[in-house]
Amino acid sequence: MRSFDISHVPNVYKTILISGLVLSSTIIFYYVIHPKSPTNSFVVSRIEKTLSQSTFTDTPTNISHLVFGIVGSEGAWHHRKGYGEAWWQPNVTRGYLYLDIPPTVDILPWSLTSPPYRVSEDLTKLINEINPAVPILPRVLHAILEIFREEDHEGFRWLVMGDDDTIFFVDNMVDVLAKYDHTKYYYIGSPSECLNSNFRFSFNMGFGGAGFALSYPLVKAFANNVEDCLKRYSHLVTGDIIEMSCIADFGVNLSPQKGLHQIDLRGDISGLLSSHPKTPLMSLHHLDVVDPIFPNMDAINSIHHLMKAANIYQSRLLQQTICYNRKHNWSISVSWGYSVHIYEKIMPRSLLQLPIETFQPWAANPNPPFYMFNTRLPSNDQCESPHVFFFDSIEKMSDNLILTTYYRRSSRELPPCVSSSHSADYVTHIYVYSSVTKRIEINRCECCDHTYAEGAKNAVLKFRECMPDEIMA
Ligand SMILES: *[C@@H]1O[C@H](CO)[C@@H](O)[C@H](O)[C@H]1NC(C)=O
Ligand SMILES: *[C@@H]1O[C@H](CO)[C@@H](O)[C@H](O)[C@H]1NC(C)=O
Ligand SMILES: *[C@@H]1O[C@H](CO)[C@@H](O)[C@H](O)[C@H]1NC(C)=O
């Protein structure tokens, strides 16, 4: 905390210090200033919250109990609308997009498939009074009060806050939040995947781009005290650290939740998305900063493509399942609805679970360690470099099965792995059959059976529960 206290620093240094922070750091704060410039953040928090058994007796939480507050800007919405519309379900999802100024005529009439918008209150008087280090931050925090005033409180259990380039996976969000008692005080979020961002801001902060959820009593407390909070923390330089600080003052701390992804990374994040932990995918952020997540598609088309799987069945999305074909000496890693990797070698799960470092760190000249998780470096070894397939289509079959298909991106351009003697070069498509059973309380991975006729184009995988003592061997 002390490192952000710049109230005693002379003004000229303050400016430099703030610029430095802006360059390398977070969130809400700078996308608002530079709507087109990349912001930061995602991560896999290493501590998974062990959810206490539900003791509350209310009706189950459903989509109508979640209220979304998206803080964006008029300037950015012109090119970010496609992200918002990818996940927003008109007349089903509740909430608002807050804009800094009224929309210009070229985005009017307002699209019915976008979240409804509100223009943020004029806070000039408050800003003059508290003289914040970053004058645009009060708008971001004040949105919590504005949405609290605006919303009909009937069935309001959770407030989910995000940026205008946050993609939420709402069904999974409902499944995860439903496990918590919404009548108690909860602050649910995720640190960044960038170690240095967490070090500099906080390891206990829900990064704003990944999105975070506040239970109703906490929203109420926050809304009733937001102006005092802004006064107390007017020296802090990002919205999410102010939020964390005020929430801590109510005696509430972060419940870290894997599955919320700030994506403080650059380049090709396919390696990360291909090794997602066994937890529901709740959000993705910064998709206009990183490369498009599917080959030969732009960023917006890529997210709409992923949504084809998400809209039919979300629970398993991106979760990694590892299979072995002993007859061929292959290891197969499936990131459901996203990718399949075939290795011509038997490799242990503990290794395949490490993301391949296809991406780069967030900051331009960082010092290692970069990430909050261990990685594997991409390899040119024919036994360790995977054949890569990407999600193509999804189909609901009879008898509660879902079929997803994956196509080969390109030839691997490597000779077969000599020790294995079974090349996967012929495979062009992979068919994965999985059940519609929700994967929420996941204490163990699934296993699968793989059928492949030597030299065939198609390979088929069927997910099933692992046998009690089944191991890779
Ligand atoms: C959500 O639950 C409430 C009861 O709390 C119920 O009245 C409502 O119909 C449910 N809505 C949906 C969309 O399932
Ligand atoms: C949402 O509801 C409004 C009012 O009932 C209706 O006019 C509008 O067409 C609906 N929008 C969509 C996209 O279904
Ligand atoms: C699988 O690989 C091992 C070690 O690399 C090799 O000894 C074995 O013969 C291979 N099995 C088959 C079926 O090719």
Side-chain angles (χ1 to χ4, degrees):
M1 205 62 136
R2 217 171 28 161
S3 56
F4 301 103
D5 184 350
I6 54 169
S7 50
H8 311 297
V9 180
N11 272 335
V12 53
Y13 293 116
K14 224 185 242 182
T15 310
I16 295 166
L17 181 53
I18 290 171
S19 336
L21 286 169
V22 168
L23 282 178
S24 58
S25 64
T26 1
I27 313 161
I28 291 175
F29 168 44
Y30 58 126
Y31 81 74
V32 181
I33 300 187
H34 307 293
K36 286 181 183 133
S37 79
T39 5
N40 109 50
S41 305
F42 154 107
V43 152
V44 180
S45 96
R46 288 191 297 180
I47 318 142
E48 186 165 26
K49 163 99 176 119
T50 308
L51 293 161
S52 52
Q53 288 301 311
S54 311
T55 49
F56 53 103
T57 54
D58 228 327
T59 57
T61 291
N62 64 42
I63 194 166
S64 77
H65 301 121
L66 273 55
V67 177
F68 288 84
I70 308 302
V71 185
S73 67
E74 198 279 334
W77 191 248
H78 294 250
H79 60 276
R80 288 189 166 168
K81 182 170 170 248
Y83 297 108
E85 293 190 344
W87 64 273
W88 187 261
Q89 299 169 42
N91 293 349
V92 176
T93 6
R94 275 168 88 169
Y96 302 96
L97 165 71
Y98 285 85
L99 297 177
D100 48 348
I101 55 170
T104 52
V105 286
D106 53 330
I107 47 171
L108 288 175
W110 194 253
S111 166
L112 289 174
T113 52
S114 285
Y117 77 88
R118 293 289 182 268
V119 178
S120 297
E121 279 176 29
D122 179 1
L123 300 177
T124 315
K125 189 165 159 280
L126 177 70
I127 290 167
N128 287 340
E129 187 192 331
I130 65 179
N131 190 25
V134 183
I136 57 164
L137 290 186
R139 180 173 88 85
V140 174
L141 292 124
H142 207 262
I144 295 179
L145 168 61
E146 290 168 40
I147 203 161
F148 190 73
R149 278 189 192 141
E150 174 90 36
E151 260 297 308
D152 163 14
H153 289 203
E154 180 69 30
F156 186 163
R157 296 188 181 179
W158 295 94
L159 175 64
V160 181
M161 295 297 291
D163 288 1
D164 55 358
D165 61 341
T166 307
I167 311 290
F168 284 110
F169 295 85
V170 177
D171 296 350
N172 283 343
M173 205 99 204
V174 170
D175 287 343
V176 170
L177 293 178
K179 298 192 290 180
Y180 291 87
D181 182 347
H182 61 91
T183 66
K184 299 210 161 78
Y185 289 77
Y186 279 110
Y187 166 40
I188 292 165
S190 171
S192 168
E193 36 298 88
C194 168
L195 193 147
N196 196 43
S197 297
N198 298 322
F199 175 70
R200 298 177 45 203
F201 293 98
S202 171
F203 286 92
N204 294 316
M205 180 176 99
F207 276 60
F212 57 88
L214 308 179
S215 57
Y216 183 82
L218 185 54
V219 182
K220 190 172 172 190
F222 196 97
N224 288 337
N225 293 281
V226 69
E227 295 197 358
D228 285 344
C229 155
L230 286 168
K231 282 178 198 159
R232 256 192 331 273
Y233 296 107
S234 63
H235 58 287
L236 298 179
V237 297
T238 71
D240 28 24
I241 187 118
I242 299 179
E243 260 136 18
M244 184 208 76
S245 306
C246 295
I247 289 169
D249 291 344
F250 296 121
V252 180
N253 298 111
L254 185 72
S255 296
Q257 188 70 51
K258 288 180 180 176
L260 292 160
H261 299 293
Q262 170 80 7
I263 311 289
D264 275 344
L265 300 169
R266 296 188 187 269
D268 171 10
I269 59 167
S270 65
L272 182 76
L273 301 184
S274 297
S275 293
H276 194 270
K278 289 187 277 294
T279 188
L281 172 68
M282 294 162 80
S283 71
L284 289 173
H285 179 229
H286 275 158
L287 294 183
D288 55 355
V289 176
V290 296
D291 297 347
I293 59 172
F294 286 106
N296 308 320
M297 283 186 203
D298 66 16
I300 302 256
N301 287 331
S302 291
I303 195 66
H304 282 273
H305 188 55
L306 186 65
M307 281 294 168
K308 286 179 199 160
N311 290 341
I312 288 190
Y313 177 77
Q314 209 162 93
S315 186
R316 211 185 284 275
L317 193 63
L318 293 199
Q319 288 186 37
Q320 187 186 24
T321 302
I322 293 165
C323 318
Y324 296 97
N325 181 329
R326 258 151 242 295
K327 208 172 123 211
H328 290 84
N329 263 346
W330 290 353
S331 306
I332 306 163
S333 164
V334 181
S335 165
W336 195 94
Y338 181 64
S339 70
V340 177
H341 291 175
I342 299 183
Y343 298 84
E344 293 176 3
K345 181 185 173 183
I346 300 295
M347 289 163 80
R349 283 202 166 83
S350 54
L351 188 66
L352 295 173
Q353 284 169 352
L354 304 180
I356 300 176
E357 207 175 310
T358 53
F359 41 83
Q360 288 87 46
W362 179 249
N365 294 303
N367 294 317
F370 305 134
Y371 310 115
M372 292 289 288
F373 46 86
N374 303 106
T375 62
R376 279 181 288 159
L377 291 175
S379 166
N380 274 331
D381 178 312
Q382 61 260 47
C383 301
E384 306 216 328
S385 164
H387 295 261
V388 177
F389 301 78
F390 280 100
F391 170 65
D392 186 25
S393 65
I394 178 163
E395 198 180 330
K396 233 179 176 160
M397 315 292 284
S398 52
D399 52 24
N400 289 337
L401 283 184
I402 294 183
L403 167 64
T404 47
T405 62
Y406 305 79
Y407 67 96
R408 182 188 283 276
R409 181 183 58 183
S410 54
S411 154
R412 198 173 64 137
E413 315 256 320
L414 286 173
C417 172
V418 179
S419 58
S420 136
S421 78
H422 295 274
S423 166
D425 280 341
Y426 308 104
V427 183
T428 59
H429 287 83
I430 300 186
Y431 295 78
V432 174
Y433 291 89
S434 52
S435 75
V436 291
T437 322
K438 276 201 176 173
R439 303 273 300 156
I440 304 173
E441 297 284 356
I442 309 155
N443 60 355
R444 195 182 184 201
C445 71
E446 284 177 296
C447 287
C448 64
D449 294 320
H450 178 225
T451 48
Y452 178 69
E454 191 81 41
K457 282 180 163 178
N458 298 335
V460 178
L461 298 171
K462 288 188 178 128
F463 285 13
R464 59 166 171 80
E465 291 299 324
C466 296
M467 262 107 58
D469 56 355
E470 187 166 355
I471 51 161
M472 183 207 91

